[in-house]
Amino acid sequence: MPRLEPGPALLDSRRQHVGFFLPPAPMTIWAGHDIRYLTTGGWIATPAPHCRWGDLRWICPPDGSGALNAPAALEFALHEAMVELARDHGTAHHLDAPHRQADKPAAPPTTRAP
């Protein structure tokens, strides 16, 4: 996947949530915990784009062009982040078993006492 410039992302450090701004896609459904959608007439309070302090701050501020995050690129990045987190915690085998099992060292042979 080509590298794409990131779109706006907002951190709520008090609630430990990150908000990614995506273009509307009525046929796309994202599944997961704590995912919220805003529809026509919805709104969100955000700090000014230059604000990078406080409990609510921009990780990647909007640049004024109206550009948003590319859904496919964001989905790929989130999946890869989950794989890395799982690997760090020793549970990666269920997330990416087909293409990463070869990276795991073989278990040493065990011997049993008679």
Side-chain angles (χ1 to χ4, degrees):
M1 174 172 275
R3 178 165 156 51
L4 299 172
E5 291 298 317
L10 190 62
L11 171 67
D12 183 342
S13 60
R14 183 175 293 165
R15 295 181 66 204
Q16 297 182 346
H17 288 162
V18 176
F20 299 98
F21 293 75
L22 302 168
M27 301 306 292
T28 302
I29 296 177
W30 287 50
H33 181 68
D34 282 340
I35 291 179
R36 297 184 315 165
Y37 296 93
L38 294 178
T39 59
T40 303
W43 58 273
I44 183 170
T46 65
H50 64 276
C51 184
R52 295 200 181 205
W53 57 88
D55 291 335
L56 188 61
R57 64 184 178 272
W58 292 102
I59 297 170
C60 185
D63 62 8
S65 70
L68 300 172
N69 288 288
L74 179 60
E75 184 176 19
F76 179 78
L78 291 173
H79 177 267
E80 289 300 303
M82 290 302 299
V83 168
E84 289 299 316
L85 284 172
R87 183 175 299 115
D88 289 348
H89 294 284
T91 59
H93 63 276
H94 73 279
L95 290 174
D96 61 346
H99 64 283
R100 305 238 187 200
Q101 284 293 51
D103 295 345
K104 283 185 145 184
T110 58
T111 58
R112 290 189 182 160

